[in-house]
């Protein structure tokens, strides 16, 4: 996978990821489309938002409708009609968090479906096979994630297992790539490793060194953060982890976060983000604007004829007033979910776009200060 680093400003980076379904300028925020659908939106909304990549969830799509079904229907892109890129997670996190009794063992994760209680076993190869069927542009390896705080012994076990599984994954992936080349087939699936180690400097370093030594990964994710530690600890962990990740590969901070978290992580050299926050908060009535967060149900918006965010040019802000959104929210109207989700995603996408422009102009520090004031 080609990743061109265009500019570095302090530690913040601007680059371009070249994928089969279009270029991705970085830093980038990836809207979460768990079920091959960003909640309340369709592919036309995502195209209007100019989202170059979205995330889908391996665990959910494997259980329903199943990856073989999606393969038969032309992979995620054809199935959903979203023609840009998809990143899929490994499913390990959901197998663990959603299942009533998941068990991590040497070879993988044994879990019960949260839908019908059926038993399944995710191994490093199995989750890649699912992701090949989905035809993901970027696939994540299976990792062993630990909630924080956790005993050092458990975290050590997690990074050892994660490294072992990563090795197995990259060997399998290289074999698949080789087979595709031999057969003259297109092969557009790229693979990212996941760094673990809690908030421990030595363990993060050990994990980063192990994974970097395997060489062939297309990118590196930082996993196991935003799982209970404080924001300051998360920022510190990024400070001491990122120097051990390869400079020429994209870095992806999984599942993070607030606008402030994103800007702090960009300042430390992270290139990619995903989080349910913009869409989930939108549905719950919290909207992100250039004036700060807004609770749309508040009666102060009842007669407010201004657009939601005067500096935003999204579909919602172009067409509707705060008063109308306030009314739709209070009335529980379906259209509220779409309009609010469009705006919050537009806010996140413009945050990373503006950060990128500031980096390219060598003015990231000024931009950072401005954002920190309002977030
Ligand atoms: Zn807007």
């Amino acid at each position: 996978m080609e990743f061109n680093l265009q500019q570095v400003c302090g530690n913040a980076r601007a680059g371009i990821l070249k994928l089969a379904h279009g270029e991705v300028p970085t830093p980038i925020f990836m809207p979460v489309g768990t079920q091959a659908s960003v909640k309340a939106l369709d592919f036309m909304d995502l195209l209007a938002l100019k989202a170059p990549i979205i995330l889908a969830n391996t665990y959910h799509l494997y259980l329903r409708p199943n990856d073989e079904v999606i393969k038969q229907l032309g992979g995620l892109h054809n199935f959903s009609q979203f023609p840009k890129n998809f990143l899929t997670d490994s499913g390990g996190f959901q197998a663990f968090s959603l299942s009533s009794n998941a068990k991590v063992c040497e070879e993988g994760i044994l879990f019960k479906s949260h839908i019908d209680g059926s038993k399944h076993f995710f191994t490093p190869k199995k989750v890649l096979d699912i992701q090949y069927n989905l035809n993901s542009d970027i696939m994540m390896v299976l990792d062993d994630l630990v909630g924080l705080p956790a005993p050092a012994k458990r975290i050590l076990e997690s990074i050892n297992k994660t490294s072992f599984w990563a090795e197995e994954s990259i060997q399998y992936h290289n074999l698949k790539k080789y087979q595709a080349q031999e057969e003259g087939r297109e092969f557009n699936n790229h693979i990212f490793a996941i760094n673990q180690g809690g908030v421990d400097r030595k363990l993060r370093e050990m994990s980063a060194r192990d994974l970097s030594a395997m060489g062939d990964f297309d990118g590196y994710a930082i996993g196991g953060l935003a799982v209970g530690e404080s924001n300051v600890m998360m920022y510190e962990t990024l400070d001491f982890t990122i120097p051990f990740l390869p400079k020429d590969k994209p870095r992806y901070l999984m599942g993070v976060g607030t606008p402030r978290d994103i800007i702090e992580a960009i300042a430390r050299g992270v290139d990619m983000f995903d989080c349910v926050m913009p869409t989930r908060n939108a549905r719950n009535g919290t909207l992100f604007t250039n004036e700060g967060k807004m609770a749309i149900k508040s009666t102060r918006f009842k007669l407010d004829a201004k657009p939601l965010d005067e500096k935003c040019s999204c579909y919602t802000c172009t067409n509707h007033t705060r008063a109308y959104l306030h009314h739709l929210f209070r009335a529980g109207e379906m259209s509220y979910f779409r309009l609010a989700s469009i705006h919050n995603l537009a806010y996140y996408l413009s945050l990373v776009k503006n950060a990128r422009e500031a980096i390219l102009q060598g003015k990231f520090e000024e931009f950072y200060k401005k954002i920190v004031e309002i977030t």
Side-chain angles (χ1 to χ4, degrees):
M1 185 179 73
E2 225 182 296
F3 177 56
N4 298 335
L5 204 52
Q6 298 169 293
Q7 187 72 260
V8 178
C9 186
N11 288 321
R13 313 166 359 134
I16 302 265
L17 264 178
K18 291 191 175 164
L19 297 170
H21 296 90
E23 291 190 350
V24 177
T26 63
I28 191 67
F29 178 80
M30 302 179 282
V32 176
T34 301
Q35 305 278 5
S37 159
V38 175
K39 289 195 193 308
L41 306 185
D42 72 6
F43 78 98
M44 294 295 280
D45 294 324
L46 293 166
L47 288 177
L49 282 163
K50 298 192 167 62
I53 180 166
I54 67 171
L55 189 135
N57 192 282
T58 295
Y59 168 89
H60 287 283
L61 296 172
Y62 160 76
L63 289 178
R64 184 175 55 199
N66 190 258
D67 51 298
E68 291 288 348
V69 171
I70 294 179
K71 185 184 180 184
Q72 276 186 45
L73 295 166
L76 280 174
H77 308 83
N78 256 332
F79 186 51
S80 70
Q81 287 298 300
F82 179 64
K84 303 289 182 179
N85 300 287
F86 276 92
L87 180 146
T88 47
D89 63 2
S90 70
F93 175 72
Q94 284 76 20
F96 213 79
S97 66
L98 291 175
S99 174
S100 52
N101 55 354
K103 214 178 124 201
V104 178
C105 57
E106 278 309 305
E107 297 80 27
I109 303 174
L110 185 69
F111 65 96
K112 261 189 183 177
S113 157
H114 73 290
I115 302 170
D116 60 10
S118 53
K119 283 185 187 164
H120 303 268
F121 192 46
F122 274 176
T123 63
K125 286 180 187 169
K126 170 87 175 171
V127 300
L128 290 183
D129 280 334
I130 299 170
Q131 296 177 85
Y132 293 128
N133 280 344
L134 298 175
N135 196 24
S136 314
D137 296 280
I138 298 178
M139 317 183 294
M140 304 304 299
V141 298
L142 189 66
D143 64 331
D144 178 17
L145 180 130
V146 200
L148 296 178
K153 196 177 153 223
R154 176 67 188 94
I155 300 176
L156 185 62
E157 187 191 317
S158 133
I159 59 169
N160 287 336
K161 202 164 285 174
T162 299
S163 294
F164 183 69
W165 289 351
E167 180 92 58
E168 208 179 322
S169 306
I170 194 70
Q171 283 174 8
Y172 187 58
H173 182 67
N174 284 341
L175 176 71
K176 287 276 173 182
K177 200 193 286 181
Y178 175 76
Q179 284 171 346
Q181 276 163 359
E182 288 290 296
E183 291 162 20
R185 273 187 292 118
E186 257 189 61
F187 189 81
N188 294 322
N189 316 113
H190 302 288
I191 187 168
F192 277 28
I194 307 177
N195 172 277
Q196 291 289 354
V199 290
D200 186 291
R201 179 188 290 258
K202 278 198 181 131
L203 295 177
R204 282 279 168 189
E205 182 186 335
M206 196 190 296
S207 171
R209 284 186 191 278
D210 278 359
L211 299 172
S212 304
M214 292 174 206
D216 294 333
F217 287 105
D218 297 296
Y220 290 82
I222 302 162
L225 287 179
V227 287
E229 78 287 4
S230 70
N231 288 21
V232 173
M233 278 176 110
M234 177 168 85
Y235 304 154
E236 278 176 10
T237 305
L238 293 177
D239 282 332
F240 57 67
T241 303
I242 288 174
F244 295 103
L245 298 175
K247 282 191 173 59
D248 57 345
K249 299 284 171 75
R251 304 157 179 166
Y252 162 32
L253 178 57
M254 302 178 82
V256 174
T258 62
R260 176 68 186 268
D261 290 339
I262 287 179
I263 224 67
E264 294 288 352
I266 290 175
R268 288 164 170 82
V270 174
D271 308 300
M272 301 166 73
F273 302 88
D274 80 283
C275 191
V276 293
M277 188 170 279
T279 40
R280 182 177 291 167
N281 279 16
R283 297 194 300 277
N284 295 336
T286 302
L287 301 169
F288 296 97
T289 76
N290 285 291
E291 293 168 33
K293 275 198 280 189
M294 235 177 226
I296 198 65
K297 76 171 179 194
S298 164
T299 47
R300 73 189 165 99
F301 299 120
K302 195 170 182 179
L303 287 165
D304 194 336
K306 286 202 286 272
L308 188 55
D309 184 341
E310 283 168 304
K311 288 184 184 157
C312 178
S313 57
C314 82
Y315 175 84
T316 307
C317 293
T318 310
N319 292 291
H320 296 296
T321 62
R322 294 172 180 178
Y324 185 59
L325 290 164
H326 166 82
H327 159 69
L328 293 178
F329 180 81
R330 291 218 157 198
E333 277 298 311
M334 306 265 201
S335 59
Y336 167 79
F337 297 109
R338 173 170 173 263
L339 294 172
S341 300
I342 286 175
H343 168 76
N344 270 2
L345 284 177
Y347 178 86
Y348 267 65
L349 286 163
S350 82
L351 178 72
V352 292
K353 187 169 175 243
N354 293 340
R356 176 181 155 78
E357 274 160 24
I359 296 165
L360 289 173
Q361 291 166 12
K363 292 178 181 165
F364 181 74
E365 187 66 32
E366 283 164 62
F367 176 77
Y368 168 86
K369 283 183 187 150
K370 205 176 80 191
I371 296 295
V372 165
E373 264 171 39
I374 61 159
T375 53

